[in-house]
Amino acid sequence: MKKTFHASNRRAFIKKAGLAAAGISVAPYILPSGRLFAPTGMRSSEHVVMVAFAGGVRQQESVLQRYLDDSQGEPYPGNIMYNIFDGTPPENKIVFGTGTGGLNPIPSILSQTIESQGTIFREISALSAGHFGGLNSLVQGSTVTTQGLKQRPINPTIFEYLRRHGGYSATDVWFVGNGIGNSTPLLNHSAHADYGAAYAGNFFAPTVTFGSSGNQFMADAKIYHPENELTPMYKLKTFLDLQFQSLTTAGGGLGNTEDEKQNIKAFMKAMYAKVSDGTLDLPPVTDNGDLYTMGFAVEVLKWFKPAFMMVNLSAVDSCHSNFSNYLAALHRADHAVGHLWNSIQTGIPELSGQTSIICTPECGRNLQPNNILDQNEWLAFDHSDSNSLRAWTAMAGSGIPAGLSVGSEANPVGRVSDSMMTVADLLGVKPEVQAAGMIAPGTMSLLDQI
Amino acid sequence: MQGFKHLHMATRMCGLRSIGMLLVVCALASSGCRPEPEVSFELQGLEVTPGFADKDRLKTNEQWVAIVHTNLFQTGMPANDLYNVARVFESIGDQSIAREVLLSNFFNQPDLTLTPTDEMLADPDAFIDATYLRFYTRFPTQAERTFVREFILNNPGMTPELVYMSFGLSEEYRYY
């Protein structure tokens, strides 16, 4: 039968062919690293650590160094975060240290404060007065009003931006959580269709993973021979998966390669052994969960030497019911940061001199107290008013100007979401993050605001 | 006389009809009690199990742990342990690593009894069928059985433990 080729068909063919040619010409190229395009930003730091500090921090007791002066009506100012900020500690009514009543302040770890080594943004705006919203603004660079607890971030996280656009591997980006409450484990990747689990950061909540439960169920894991045992086991698993995937859409995962998985398992084995032997690289004082979390974060840095690690501290949230404990936790969060930065500079040669640190509270805390009194008859503070939207950022290290102070109480500069964009800037993916268009309006790198 | 003759015929017909009805009822009753005839089409009998195409619901971590524990130890995991394992799973970002570490931990437990390797090699088809049923609650297809049999026989390092590991970590095992 003779096939007729109508003019309309010809037009359709030419149109489709044209579209296909155009598609081919603009199609992304898969680079050896797995990313689609080479990142267009300039990388100014080899490694970045970001500390989500540390569960709702009032300006008054942190960057403003007013101690009891602006909270309990007692005229005793002073700096209880002397690893991060310059300033003299309080001399009276000491309750934040160690020993009975917290009378003994923890000595400073750093010989030079983060402030003197880097740049302080003294007054920035938080995007949320809550922890989860605040943490989301730190990892996403935005907050979405429909974002709820028990829900993955709606917009991509910094982990995904780095992996998708920067070509970083799964073990190059880490999120070390303070625990598994408040949906913290959900923050290592978003539910965004173009990003998601395949670009996630690796995650541990080490106080759980390597705590008593983890030790009970995971520490006794067998080590299989990589060639004689694991290789055939994975081959058979691959066959089984291929059979199943032929009819289903199962899959997913963080995109750790098999080598990366073996490396993570070896790390876990080593951590269980270190916990058992008492040889973890912990801060000098380890009397709360944040300090243990930071000890494990340092171990992650030592083992994987990642390009980016975010660590979340949260013990200062005790301020809801106990102001004295809040002061102690704030002092310890500073101690944890001191240990982190000291370990990077003196204990991990591959990171020393090539790493930046960024510390930002996810949100502030109220101006007025609630009516809960603690053991010292001091009032506690929640977080919901405009004072809860006040925060600061301290940063130092590679690519960060030293000795700068930006903004003030009367002149706020920057926002919490800028920390994420600063990480993107330091690691060379800022243009891609901006182009993706999913950050809060006005969010920009803090380096562009100096 | 004529009238009597008609009456007699009518009576006879009624009697015949009753007898007929009785025969029909008896026939029906007797056929109802007869055993079902066993019909054979000379095909091999086959136990029907669900296929993998029906498995489209992802197990939760708790479900996966509970089922794998039961499959391996033939006994349920205590609820408190299950809760704690689920917490540990939440604390690890890559769940495939969590599953692998937990499984290898199970294989290190002294109270776990596995099929001996020589038993597996003596009758690989029986072992394969039992493994598919244990983990996937279905029989293997002929292609699967052939592949797994050849794989086991051609890889001297394969033990029942490693086979169970492959099945326990497989994608199909994550679904029900």
Side-chain angles (χ1 to χ4, degrees):
Chain A
M1 195 174 110
K2 192 179 175 184
K3 199 172 183 180
T4 54
F5 197 71
H6 294 294
S8 60
N9 285 348
R10 191 180 297 118
R11 275 198 296 275
F13 170 77
I14 291 168
K15 190 178 170 186
K16 281 178 186 170
L19 283 173
I24 290 166
S25 67
V26 299
Y29 296 96
I30 307 292
L31 298 177
S33 61
R35 63 180 182 257
L36 298 180
F37 297 97
T40 53
M42 188 186 292
R43 182 173 177 173
S44 53
S45 184
E46 288 300 308
H47 309 272
V48 180
V49 291
M50 180 159 82
V51 182
F53 191 105
V57 175
R58 277 173 34 109
Q59 292 287 89
Q60 288 79 0
E61 289 79 40
S62 53
V63 68
L64 297 176
Q65 304 181 14
R66 292 177 190 162
Y67 193 43
L68 301 174
D69 210 7
D70 269 353
S71 57
Q72 310 300 335
E74 300 193 28
Y76 301 109
N79 176 23
I80 62 171
M81 296 171 57
Y82 36 71
N83 284 290
I84 296 178
F85 299 119
D86 295 335
T88 53
E91 292 175 354
N92 294 301
K93 299 256 183 181
I94 307 299
V95 298
F96 52 83
T98 57
T100 307
L103 292 174
N104 309 306
I106 303 170
S108 177
I109 293 176
L110 301 178
S111 55
Q112 270 190 299
T113 62
I114 299 285
E115 178 173 0
S116 64
Q117 293 181 52
T119 299
I120 301 289
F121 280 75
R122 296 198 168 279
E123 184 84 23
I124 67 169
S125 305
L127 270 63
S128 168
H131 302 298
F132 195 59
L135 287 172
N136 265 293
S137 63
L138 277 173
V139 296
Q140 295 181 74
S142 69
T143 52
V144 182
T145 51
T146 54
Q147 173 83 57
L149 274 168
K150 296 190 174 181
Q151 188 182 8
R152 289 268 178 204
I154 289 170
N155 288 329
T157 62
I158 183 64
F159 310 106
E160 296 155 86
Y161 285 126
L162 288 171
R163 287 195 61 198
R164 181 170 173 186
H165 302 295
Y168 296 96
S169 72
T171 47
D172 246 349
V173 290
W174 278 89
F175 178 35
V176 178
N178 59 309
I180 59 171
N182 292 321
S183 300
T184 304
L186 301 183
L187 293 172
N188 66 328
H189 71 82
S190 71
H192 195 281
D194 296 335
Y195 292 82
Y199 300 102
N202 269 295
F203 172 77
F204 276 131
T207 52
V208 178
T209 314
F210 305 111
S212 57
S213 296
N215 192 58
Q216 182 185 349
F217 296 106
M218 302 289 197
D220 198 23
K222 263 187 170 179
I223 298 292
Y224 292 101
H225 192 282
E227 281 127 35
N228 298 346
E229 294 179 310
L230 283 183
T231 302
M233 189 277 286
Y234 282 130
K235 270 187 187 167
L236 181 55
K237 178 186 175 310
T238 303
F239 167 77
L240 298 171
D241 290 348
L242 286 172
Q243 296 301 303
F244 188 58
Q245 282 168 4
S246 62
L247 283 178
T248 72
T249 54
L254 300 196
N256 281 306
T257 63
E258 286 308 325
D259 284 347
E260 287 180 311
K261 284 184 182 178
Q262 299 314 317
N263 197 21
I264 292 171
K265 285 193 288 181
F267 171 76
M268 291 174 72
K269 194 79 182 168
M271 288 305 105
Y272 288 120
K274 282 194 168 196
V275 170
S276 174
D277 301 343
T279 53
L280 278 172
D281 190 350
L282 294 169
V285 174
T286 46
D287 57 4
N288 78 2
D290 279 353
L291 293 164
Y292 275 98
T293 299
M294 192 58 89
F296 283 108
V298 168
E299 295 286 358
V300 166
L301 286 179
K302 278 184 177 176
W303 190 281
F304 297 100
K305 292 149 189 96
F308 176 62
M309 182 187 75
M310 176 173 167
V311 55
N312 180 34
L313 307 178
S314 67
V316 304
D317 202 29
S318 57
C319 194
H320 282 293
S321 58
N322 192 309
F323 191 78
S324 299
N325 287 357
Y326 158 75
L327 294 173
L330 200 54
H331 189 53
R332 278 152 182 75
D334 172 79
H335 182 62
V337 169
H339 175 67
L340 172 68
W341 194 233
N342 185 54
S343 299
I344 288 169
Q345 300 306 330
T346 63
I348 315 174
E350 297 89 343
L351 269 64
S352 176
Q354 304 179 61
T355 305
S356 329
I357 186 171
I358 301 174
C359 304
T360 305
E362 77 273 25
C363 66
R365 204 163 269 278
N366 286 355
L367 185 63
Q368 299 301 328
N370 60 32
N371 56 7
I372 301 174
L373 288 170
D374 66 15
Q375 64 271 30
N376 292 309
E377 302 282 302
W378 292 339
L379 290 162
F381 290 81
D382 301 318
H383 43 95
S384 56
D385 69 11
S386 59
N387 201 60
S388 304
L389 296 176
R390 299 175 62 193
W392 46 268
T393 289
M395 52 187 195
S398 180
I400 310 289
L404 279 184
S405 175
V406 182
S408 65
E409 256 186 291
N411 176 34
V413 176
R415 33 176 61 202
V416 164
S417 52
D418 293 343
S419 293
M420 174 271 205
M421 189 56 98
T422 309
V423 175
D425 192 359
L426 288 164
L427 292 174
V429 297
K430 184 178 75 172
E432 286 79 8
V433 175
Q434 287 171 328
M438 288 180 275
I439 51 175
T443 294
M444 54 196 292
S445 168
L446 291 169
L447 299 173
D448 294 335
Q449 300 175 62
I450 292 173
Chain B
M1 187 64 191
Q2 192 71 18
F4 176 76
K5 204 173 175 180
H6 282 166
L7 180 66
H8 179 70
M9 276 180 69
T11 309
R12 264 183 66 185
M13 281 178 72
C14 263
L16 283 173
R17 202 173 293 158
S18 301
I19 289 166
M21 288 285 282
L22 192 66
L23 283 173
V24 168
V25 169
C26 284
L28 283 172
S30 64
S31 72
C33 293
R34 198 176 296 157
E36 190 71 26
E38 200 162 301
V39 179
S40 171
F41 297 99
E42 296 191 357
L43 291 173
Q44 193 182 354
L46 185 67
E47 190 180 337
V48 178
T49 53
F52 56 62
D54 300 327
K55 296 177 186 174
D56 56 0
R57 282 170 292 179
L58 190 63
K59 292 172 188 168
T60 63
N61 285 337
E62 287 93 333
Q63 287 170 333
W64 185 89
V65 172
I67 293 167
V68 81
H69 187 276
T70 306
N71 285 163
L72 291 176
F73 294 92
Q74 308 296 318
T75 175
M77 182 180 248
N80 197 40
D81 285 355
L82 199 54
Y83 170 77
N84 285 327
V85 175
R87 280 172 53 82
V88 175
F89 265 60
E90 270 192 77
S91 77
I92 299 171
D94 193 328
Q95 300 284 285
S96 68
I97 291 174
R99 286 191 292 273
E100 198 171 323
V101 173
L102 181 73
L103 261 186
S104 66
N105 203 78
F106 281 163
F107 285 125
N108 237 358
Q109 302 308 305
D111 52 337
L112 177 65
T113 49
L114 296 169
T115 308
T117 304
D118 51 0
E119 199 175 297
M120 172 183 81
L121 295 173
D123 190 354
D125 281 3
F127 172 78
I128 292 164
D129 281 0
T131 304
Y132 266 85
L133 276 176
R134 176 187 279 212
F135 284 90
Y136 291 170
T137 61
R138 68 174 176 86
F139 284 102
T141 62
Q142 194 54 50
E144 288 172 327
R145 187 181 288 113
T146 305
F147 178 90
V148 178
R149 186 202 308 123
E150 295 303 312
F151 191 86
I152 289 172
L153 296 176
N154 292 324
N155 284 277
M158 280 309 275
T159 59
E161 176 180 330
L162 293 177
V163 175
Y164 289 168
M165 191 91 169
S166 303
F167 275 77
L169 295 176
S170 68
E171 286 298 314
E172 183 171 347
Y173 194 59
R174 294 177 61 204
Y175 288 78
Y176 68 100

